[in-house]
Amino acid sequence: MSPTHTEVTTGAADLDPCGRADHPDCGIRDVLDRVGDKWSVLVVVELASGPRRFRQLQRAIDGISQRMLTLTVRRLERDGLVLRTVYPTVPAQVDYRLTETGTSLTHLVKALADWSLAHRDIIAQARRAYDNGHPDHEIR
Amino acid sequence: MSPTHTEVTTGAADLDPCGRADHPDCGIRDVLDRVGDKWSVLVVVELASGPRRFRQLQRAIDGISQRMLTLTVRRLERDGLVLRTVYPTVPAQVDYRLTETGTSLTHLVKALADWSLAHRDIIAQARRAYDNGHPDHEIR
DNA sequence: CCGAATCCGCAAGGATACTG
DNA sequence: CAGTATCCTTGCGGATTCGG
């Protein structure tokens, strides 16, 4: 019981990821709604190495279906992250490449990958510890 | 602007978000599977401002249900990103705070938020252009 | 106040078949 | 090759109720 806990504000906005000290849902939801899905980031990663054609992408991204690749790449195109170019050859030939905006995203993705690799062991260890301490508890 | 498109493949691996030049699915899937869900990042954001109790989190994060807050916070705890402390008062009182690992994530989240804000207008514009050029096409 | 447990709708995503 | 169309399963997540 600590009724005098005061407000937690304490002017401690130094670590606030948002620009504001209060809690607007920032633009974070936007990014996540855009590339937080199952495949978008992987497409961006693949395209970061250079332009790719449809089948190339599908082969490179393990487990993706044509349907999901189509949807994913269409959404990225719509948001202006990917440029889609159709060559009127026969059979049809299409290539995808990152736009300037899309390329700017790759730096973030790299940072994410770096973070993941840097903490994967610690996280795995934390999981084992948790699961060990909560034998019967099912969380996932 | 892209007057001289040049080859993005200047030696190939310079922009590769992964550590490797080839295409392993890096650790990106790991991060996204962990915090790519609907609420995790928002919880991290809120906790970045300091420790919070359950109800505080729920009130701060607009629209989240107790169920989702519980699940989210439990997963974060399991992964060692959040520390959960129970005070044996009555009624029960619990607070959540970021661990070192969790705090290290906030920097990434901030970068994400920054990117989002910096590109939101361009992306919105790209969308309008796309939707304008594809009137009847339904992508979302 | 802090949850766990249950029910349930809905949308994401996989599999398959077909077209240009 | 590069998609489109259709069906169908899975599980996320919301609403509600009950317990400590």
Side-chain angles (χ1 to χ4, degrees):
Chain A
M1 191 73 91
S2 52
T4 59
H5 215 300
T6 76
E7 13 270 355
V8 193
T9 61
T10 73
D14 43 347
L15 281 181
D16 191 356
C18 306
R20 316 287 297 266
D22 49 9
H23 44 71
D25 68 26
C26 333
I28 300 181
R29 271 262 66 79
D30 287 349
V31 199
L32 264 61
D33 287 345
R34 184 162 354 264
V35 295
D37 68 295
K38 196 172 182 181
W39 302 110
S40 292
V41 190
L42 297 183
V43 169
V44 171
V45 167
E46 184 58 25
L47 290 181
S49 299
R52 295 289 135 100
R53 292 171 50 188
F54 192 85
R55 295 295 286 187
Q56 280 184 305
L57 281 175
Q58 192 175 3
R59 275 190 298 264
I61 303 171
D62 193 66
I64 196 173
S65 60
Q66 323 97 295
R67 176 185 139 84
M68 286 326 290
L69 180 54
T70 300
L71 286 177
T72 302
V73 97
R74 278 292 188 286
R75 285 195 278 248
L76 292 174
E77 183 196 6
R78 182 168 108 107
D79 289 342
L81 302 180
V82 158
L83 178 65
R84 176 173 174 266
T85 312
V86 181
Y87 298 95
T89 63
V90 61
Q93 186 169 328
V94 181
D95 83 41
Y96 298 90
R97 69 187 62 209
L98 293 179
T99 61
E100 286 294 320
T101 310
T103 301
S104 73
L105 232 190
T106 62
H107 303 112
L108 282 183
V109 176
K110 170 154 178 48
L112 237 64
D114 289 345
W115 185 91
S116 181
L117 292 176
H119 296 84
R120 95 169 3 170
D121 290 344
I122 294 188
I123 291 179
Q125 181 181 341
R127 279 202 182 182
R128 284 193 300 272
Y130 184 94
D131 293 345
N132 190 21
H134 305 70
D136 48 351
H137 201 229
E138 293 281 342
I139 286 207
R140 192 181 185 185
Chain B
M1 303 312 148
S2 50
T4 53
H5 233 78
T6 74
E7 301 252 59
V8 191
T9 60
T10 67
D14 43 352
L15 280 181
D16 190 358
C18 306
R20 315 286 295 265
D22 49 9
H23 45 72
D25 69 26
C26 336
I28 299 182
R29 269 264 64 80
D30 286 350
V31 199
L32 264 61
D33 288 345
R34 183 161 357 265
V35 295
D37 68 295
K38 195 172 181 180
W39 303 109
S40 293
V41 188
L42 296 182
V43 169
V44 171
V45 166
E46 183 59 24
L47 290 181
S49 299
R52 295 287 134 102
R53 291 171 50 188
F54 191 85
R55 295 296 284 188
Q56 281 184 305
L57 281 175
Q58 192 175 3
R59 277 190 297 264
I61 302 172
D62 192 67
I64 196 173
S65 61
Q66 326 97 295
R67 175 184 142 84
M68 279 301 113
L69 181 53
T70 300
L71 287 177
T72 302
V73 97
R74 277 291 188 287
R75 284 195 278 248
L76 292 174
E77 184 195 7
R78 183 168 107 109
D79 289 342
L81 303 181
V82 158
L83 179 64
R84 177 172 174 267
T85 312
V86 182
Y87 298 96
T89 62
V90 62
Q93 185 169 332
V94 182
D95 82 41
Y96 299 89
R97 69 187 62 210
L98 293 179
T99 61
E100 285 296 319
T101 310
T103 300
S104 72
L105 232 191
T106 63
H107 302 111
L108 281 183
V109 176
K110 170 155 180 45
L112 239 63
D114 289 345
W115 184 90
S116 182
L117 292 176
H119 296 84
R120 94 170 4 170
D121 290 343
I122 294 188
I123 291 178
Q125 182 181 340
R127 277 201 183 184
R128 285 194 301 272
Y130 185 95
D131 292 347
N132 190 23
H134 306 70
D136 48 351
H137 201 227
E138 293 282 341
I139 286 204
R140 193 182 181 183

